[in-house]
Amino acid sequence: LTANAGGPLAQAAGAPPAAPGEPPRPGSWIEFGMERVRYPLPAKDAMMRALQRKQWALEPVLRQRLFLRTCMKYAGGNIKFVHWGPGIFKYDILEPRNFDEASKAGKVLIDEDLTNSDFDVYIYPDEKAREYVQTEVGVKGETEFSEDMMKAVKFIVSWPFPELDPAE
């Protein structure tokens, strides 16, 4: 991953860049082109730190949901997203009729990770199901993360929530 920990936002926040190969400094901003990630600064309070840890673990899912909601807004709303698979940042866009056909054929499942109470996302159980839907049922289109978005999510997944510095 190539990140710019010393970019304009990081410099404006007064964060010195981490040395190559070292973990990012807690509280620093890491930039991936147009995407930015703030590596968490652990709270001193144990309860707040637990909430921060949970938020950090959910951040990749939250970014994917936000991306899909934005796509939904621009597409007009009456569509379904079908995730290509875990670790893949591509989604097929299906119209209701095509989605119903794919669902009845057992080619799409609910994506337990990306679905929440007010937004459903589906997933192909395997590559054969995806190929079947794309060739036999038909998709309206596809959408995928930009390279910067993928780098940001991979960064979040690759660095665990930082431990509280015992000196503080």
Side-chain angles (χ1 to χ4, degrees):
L1 294 175
T2 305
N4 183 3
L9 184 62
Q11 291 171 357
E22 288 185 22
R25 289 182 176 82
S28 65
W29 286 96
I30 313 300
E31 296 177 72
F32 301 92
M34 296 297 291
E35 289 293 310
R36 295 183 292 260
V37 176
R38 183 167 191 253
Y39 193 57
L41 180 62
K44 290 183 171 107
D45 180 71
M47 186 173 179
M48 288 301 296
R49 205 166 45 254
L51 290 172
Q52 286 177 309
R53 181 174 278 111
K54 185 171 184 164
Q55 173 68 27
W56 185 248
L58 284 173
E59 190 67 24
V61 169
L62 297 174
R63 284 176 182 251
Q64 289 178 78
R65 285 182 190 157
L66 179 62
F67 171 76
L68 293 173
R69 283 183 186 277
T70 303
C71 291
M72 176 84 73
K73 177 182 171 186
Y74 288 106
N78 196 18
I79 57 171
K80 303 286 186 185
F81 291 106
V82 184
H83 192 190
W84 281 30
I88 302 172
F89 299 101
K90 290 185 178 182
Y91 307 84
D92 280 342
I93 301 168
L94 276 67
E95 293 177 322
R97 181 183 53 78
N98 301 67
F99 174 79
D100 290 343
E101 184 179 337
S103 182
K104 286 177 187 168
K107 303 299 181 184
V108 296
L109 306 170
I110 194 85
D111 188 321
E112 300 285 340
D113 293 331
L114 294 176
T115 295
N116 65 13
S117 61
D118 63 333
F119 188 69
D120 291 333
V121 178
Y122 301 87
I123 190 167
Y124 293 116
D126 54 40
E127 191 173 329
K128 287 182 182 180
R130 178 179 56 81
E131 290 170 357
Y132 174 85
V133 171
Q134 289 174 338
T135 58
E136 303 298 323
V137 176
V139 298
K140 181 177 182 176
E142 75 177 46
T143 188
E144 66 181 300
F145 267 30
S146 70
E147 192 68 30
D148 292 343
M149 292 168 143
M150 285 188 270
K151 287 177 182 177
V153 168
K154 288 177 181 178
F155 168 83
I156 294 165
V157 171
S158 69
W159 290 104
F161 184 81
E163 295 301 320
L164 184 64
D165 185 351
E168 292 186 17

